Amino acid sequence: MRNFDQAYSGKVFIASSPSYEESDIVLYGMPMDWTVSFRPGSRFGPGKIREASIGLEEYSPYLDRHLEDVAYHDAGDLLLPFGNPQKSLDMIEQTIDMFLKDGKFPIGLGGEHLVTWPIIKAMSRKYENLAVIHIDAHTDLRTDYEGEELSHSTPIRKACEWLGPENVYSFGIRSGEREEFEYASTSGMHFHRFNVADPLKQELPNLEGRPVYVTIDIDVLDPAYAPGTGTAEAGGITSKELLEAIHFIARSEANVVGADLVEVAPAYDASEKTQIAAAKFIREMILGWPQK
Amino acid sequence: MRNFDQAYSGKVFIASSPSYEESDIVLYGMPMDWTVSFRPGSRFGPGKIREASIGLEEYSPYLDRHLEDVAYHDAGDLLLPFGNPQKSLDMIEQTIDMFLKDGKFPIGLGGEHLVTWPIIKAMSRKYENLAVIHIDAHTDLRTDYEGEELSHSTPIRKACEWLGPENVYSFGIRSGEREEFEYASTSGMHFHRFNVADPLKQELPNLEGRPVYVTIDIDVLDPAYAPGTGTAEAGGITSKELLEAIHFIARSEANVVGADLVEVAPAYDASEKTQIAAAKFIREMILGWPQK
Amino acid sequence: MRNFDQAYSGKVFIASSPSYEESDIVLYGMPMDWTVSFRPGSRFGPGKIREASIGLEEYSPYLDRHLEDVAYHDAGDLLLPFGNPQKSLDMIEQTIDMFLKDGKFPIGLGGEHLVTWPIIKAMSRKYENLAVIHIDAHTDLRTDYEGEELSHSTPIRKACEWLGPENVYSFGIRSGEREEFEYASTSGMHFHRFNVADPLKQELPNLEGRPVYVTIDIDVLDPAYAPGTGTAEAGGITSKELLEAIHFIARSEANVVGADLVEVAPAYDASEKTQIAAAKFIREMILGWPQK
Amino acid sequence: MRNFDQAYSGKVFIASSPSYEESDIVLYGMPMDWTVSFRPGSRFGPGKIREASIGLEEYSPYLDRHLEDVAYHDAGDLLLPFGNPQKSLDMIEQTIDMFLKDGKFPIGLGGEHLVTWPIIKAMSRKYENLAVIHIDAHTDLRTDYEGEELSHSTPIRKACEWLGPENVYSFGIRSGEREEFEYASTSGMHFHRFNVADPLKQELPNLEGRPVYVTIDIDVLDPAYAPGTGTAEAGGITSKELLEAIHFIARSEANVVGADLVEVAPAYDASEKTQIAAAKFIREMILGWPQK
Amino acid sequence: MRNFDQAYSGKVFIASSPSYEESDIVLYGMPMDWTVSFRPGSRFGPGKIREASIGLEEYSPYLDRHLEDVAYHDAGDLLLPFGNPQKSLDMIEQTIDMFLKDGKFPIGLGGEHLVTWPIIKAMSRKYENLAVIHIDAHTDLRTDYEGEELSHSTPIRKACEWLGPENVYSFGIRSGEREEFEYASTSGMHFHRFNVADPLKQELPNLEGRPVYVTIDIDVLDPAYAPGTGTAEAGGITSKELLEAIHFIARSEANVVGADLVEVAPAYDASEKTQIAAAKFIREMILGWPQK
Amino acid sequence: MRNFDQAYSGKVFIASSPSYEESDIVLYGMPMDWTVSFRPGSRFGPGKIREASIGLEEYSPYLDRHLEDVAYHDAGDLLLPFGNPQKSLDMIEQTIDMFLKDGKFPIGLGGEHLVTWPIIKAMSRKYENLAVIHIDAHTDLRTDYEGEELSHSTPIRKACEWLGPENVYSFGIRSGEREEFEYASTSGMHFHRFNVADPLKQELPNLEGRPVYVTIDIDVLDPAYAPGTGTAEAGGITSKELLEAIHFIARSEANVVGADLVEVAPAYDASEKTQIAAAKFIREMILGWPQK
């Protein structure tokens, strides 16, 4: 497959099928962190999540499913051009178009959160009436960052403008500018502060049958659980709550059609606990979400 | 302003007003750790908290307030003489006297917990009937440490003796000597073990209208949340619970007249999560407490 | 005492009595990590737990007991032969036989979890009708690891086969192979997933009056609380919950006759919070469990 | 002064004069790392070098000079737009133009090495016959990095093409592509492998009286001395040799007109030794180079 | 190829040819650390050296050769059974037999130093008159470690006994028991203390035309250069000196027929400088040694 | 022995004799860091040096001596009162008086450098015509630090004033205030900048037969070799050079009568290389210096 490489990857995610063609689910990395406003390093997220996956079991006692029960393929990392955000986003968008044309369920590993923007554009072309579930510490509702429209603080605003704010559901938000919170309150988007599992459980019935793309920023976790991220924010949720949220989605009637997990920046976590947690979330997403 | 310097400071705390004179609130650092009995290094706490503040938003979605809504000034660090506790405490006491004479609401950054002792003396001269809210893992009720009366394990005992134990309210305590717990039980002080938010919520009505000084030792958090402290103690509370406690105080009828946050020792936390959390607590204290 | 040494130990655990003979409880280390399948280093666990104990108080406000109220002795570490599992297990088994012959209550510090296997054999020879409480993230129910029967993933399976699965009670389990979970469900053992304190509270009445050996794998804690372990697994419990579990056992009518705490691997935790927590658990175990 | 800020800075470098106008030398930061091909994080270099400077003496026993003997001002960091290399380079170029118009000797703190390219353009407009001394582990002679012409691996190639390769002197080079080494050998540039002090001593007489810009990449040091850098390369020189090189230049008849020190990436060096060394080099550059 | 896996590997070493059959040189990992007497963790050495190789150029300016000039294949790691030294050594020996039968030049990545013992046995069966060059901080001349004959402190003694001590050349040795140094002095082996490059240069003419196996223990470097090793020993050589030694061998008339680099234990080096250096040594060994 | 404890010690230094009475040499720790002006933490130096000693061999191939050839005893740490410099210094002075009265050769482990001051006073009472060899990065020639006369930057000035500057020999100095360097030049003391081994070799004949006390500040090493220290200073010497200096003294005709090694602050060195080096220096000092 063109444009892919394991440049920063510690091998493939556990139990990956060697065949793209015979797989229903494709895991892929987007090692991009050019636009982040604080601590960079999420380019190494995909590789370290894969490396941490070797410490995982392939079986989930939460879902009673095994990775050999599903057909998934780890395609490696996209070779994104360092320091060129626009070209990077274009490459991501084209890749998702290809995945969708091939009938795949894409699971992306970030990289900074801006990578979600081209994914949503591509997903919305295939899935009419697409909704987005956004789990994050930050609003990501800026129009720009000091003039730059391509910034990791903007993807959800772009999603709101592209899909209509009423189709965007945010959970766990605990940080942003006053203007972003005002937009959240007045735009019509579905916006839940501080907590994830409880409000998600309440919203999920509203998404029954709809195609849903889920984007998780690892910094929704408290820095106790995920110190390895660029913009850590105190007061977050536990790993247990995020697992619970993933399982609520898995057991809901929402039709998840793709997902990503972004902003793992391993350099800030010598204990490796951030990628250890992220690898487990990815396993549960692979096992729980596409099988509808 | 005399005696102040940014010796160990990474600039000023975000959104500090440049003018001491026009500010209602003064943030100041006390980089002292000479008497600690275990791991030193809290002298670097004030500087690292300021440095971490650059990753914070200036707006609080918890309180719906913005730092530009308040008039506060970061005065920098006191130049305390290394290895000379008595002279250091004298300088702190004189500084608080000056702040109070100038009508300021002081918010102190430690440094070891002994710094709270001269502050309480100064506060009690201005505010009759002063009560103290003490949030900490440790009793800090020793009379001395192996003969030394100036020790970071003594400030709350000194406060009890100075103000009367019935005016001191401790929360979250999970460590101390047997004698300290006996004193806590028999002296008449208000003493709450293990938890903070719930017992604080119950006590706050008793403090309605009274002037209250609040001192927070960062080690009340579990080491999962605040490993960067000299005497970490397992079994603590979460960042969420401490934020909740800060907000309970903000919404109470107690008349907070000053506060401090102490014992951040950054060398023991390569992930920087301790100062990231501390900076957020300070922002919430600035936004929530003085505005009565 | 022969075969013991402080090779990797930072002195003895706080407040150890110098006399083995006059002590009821013996603390001892098993610095062995030869069979672990992922990150080694638990050989340094016993020494680092002892070193961290100097930051602890000798008094427990949870149990209102003081280490001087009990007679315990820290015997140091067993000199286990590097890279020779069978000989190491034989030495452990002989040591426990000696402790039990001398009427001691043994508290072991691991080391990898395989060390629990010879202990259980020795304990069961002295205590008829022995039950085991197993608190862990992992099932440890494999028969072998890629052909090796002496592996840190097998001790609970061996215990089930030795004692009968109906005498083994597991708590907090969140990882293992599908076959292990099937064994857990079908063998008749008592098996509780994800949580510890609540199910333990429910099971304890069933153990009234029975001799019980308790083995705790530190990785039952979330990596936020205990990153210093070989096989960290996200989604775990808090230090508070494990303390609660220890106290439930202390207040139960089960007749605890010995215990261990294993898999502390300090190299993966620069903040030292894992051993700080472990030292506190050991203090509570010394104070709470043998005094029946 | 517009466009400057201490965003990532720990205060100013020691002994900075408060006045830009009355200073001969201007220190300034370029916190940019958008185009790096491996480990990012040099955006935090300027701030951490300043922070480390507080541990330095203001007097140099090597040069027998004191910072109060020179008039220098730390202007803070340029506010470069995250993820936008072209605009960032434009801002740097305009800033240098301004410094030179104001008659200042600029000393820049990187940031990635690409920042040197606009500086050289600006310097060459003021100083005819400009020569460049380049001290680095890497050739930095690529024309592009996988198609991107704005890359941290290209600045010296751009300098060669702009000034003529015969005006560029490289020292200490130990890594690059075969094509880069061929260009180095055939283009007419002055190119010295592996060592710095000895070949520099031999070349300096050739630069007598010429205006010289000096650019130092911290990775010329062995990772033992400077682990905190994006692309560490084993086999480098010692801090002593780099100090010696700085002093050779100081004592030569070359007319140094500006300088920079780049690629300090503090996240990869928990011991802080990289910025501690960098701060000392900067002090020696301030004291030794402009005073002709 | 059987028995190989990338279990702990971050992908393959840079520029590996995909074909074992068409390659002259085979790189392979031996992730074993079961018998080490101090800090374990070298099982992760092979994977981390490969991961660090992505930061390397494929061209060596020391040797003016490029990895595409040689035909080498990275076979991944041997799947050695945890905690079973004898079986592990047997697997290594059989693997080398296979490599040699297939006409390959083997380059091994450790893993603890005991892995060299079965390699030497296999090499000596193919190459009559085999000599060994041993570069290390430690003698490794013990007959056993507290009774265990399979220990990482014994491989050179075993080599001396197998090949005759007069065929073993040790360099850089600075630590061992008195008895080992006595054996070194009296047995007839060639034994050089403290330094590597100079004595090696003198000995190499004596090895002209002979088949030579070279084993390098990374701890010959000072801990400043290679802190990531189990038994770090102060007073060692620099990376520059080890590169020089590798190049002396490359330019000598000795007929190198195989090599290894052992004892990289990444957990003790957060800066990653140990594996960064090791990867460079491996590149130079691949480029410089087999091409005779 | 009174006043001693292993409070911060990882056991005793390797091969310590259990008997104070039968030993000629006494090793003791001074865990004091109350007056340091930058990064504290050297209180943990003695314990961590002892802990690192378990990785050392007991035999020195440099001196061909074994620790069992000498009679030395590790007495543990003095229990110095936290935050009380004067009382701490008094306790140290009384201890040395006792050691000297008992005919011991004292080897002290710091702690901050101020501890050397009371030692020199006591030594000079016993040994007429005492000379001091001072190996350090810093002059330590201040009269006071911002008014405090008890500061870790003053002990050598105090020694000069007490013994006469002509009896003090400093080596390796590379940092200090201008006034300190002026004092060094004009006072008559013997003062050698930047290097240690060469100037020491030249001075040693001048000390033939004289009683000499040797004090080594670990920061004379470059931070590459000893990052774990409070005031790291780039441009230092290697471990090899310091070993060479120790051996020059051992082989000289100077009559060494006591020694110390100070300023190891382990918290700033996660790799533990500082204490690993320090333990080796102590072994060589024990083996090489007292045996005249």
Side-chain angles (χ1 to χ4, degrees), chain A residues 6-11 48 51 54, chain E residues 6-11 48 51 54:
Chain A
Q6 279 82 25
Y8 294 118
S9 300
K11 70 186 284 266
K48 290 292 181 185
E51 188 180 301
I54 68 173
Chain E
Q6 278 83 25
Y8 294 117
S9 301
K11 68 186 286 263
K48 289 293 181 184
E51 188 180 303
I54 67 172

Side-chain angles (χ1 to χ4, degrees), chain E residues 174-185:
Chain E
R174 61 189 186 273
S175 180
E177 294 192 303
R178 178 144 49 184
E179 294 68 24
E180 296 177 88
F181 278 88
E182 286 167 359
Y183 179 86
S185 298

Side-chain angles (χ1 to χ4, degrees), chain E residues 150-169:
Chain E
L150 295 183
S151 159
H152 78 140
S153 57
T154 64
I156 303 307
R157 180 62 167 267
K158 292 186 202 302
C160 285
E161 292 175 357
W162 185 264
L163 300 172
E166 67 280 8
N167 295 311
V168 178
Y169 295 74

Side-chain angles (χ1 to χ4, degrees), chain B residues 78-126:
Chain B
L78 273 167
L79 281 175
L80 304 176
F82 300 114
N84 192 330
Q86 188 57 62
K87 197 165 150 196
S88 301
L89 300 190
D90 292 347
M91 285 175 67
I92 294 169
E93 192 167 347
Q94 291 158 19
T95 301
I96 303 300
D97 280 340
M98 180 187 69
F99 286 158
L100 296 180
K101 192 170 134 262
D102 294 343
K104 308 302 183 194
F105 182 103
I107 299 184
L109 304 173
E112 58 165 284
H113 215 160
L114 184 57
V115 300
T116 302
W117 167 224
I119 301 173
I120 286 175
K121 281 198 287 183
M123 298 297 296
S124 71
R125 280 195 291 269
K126 170 147 184 188

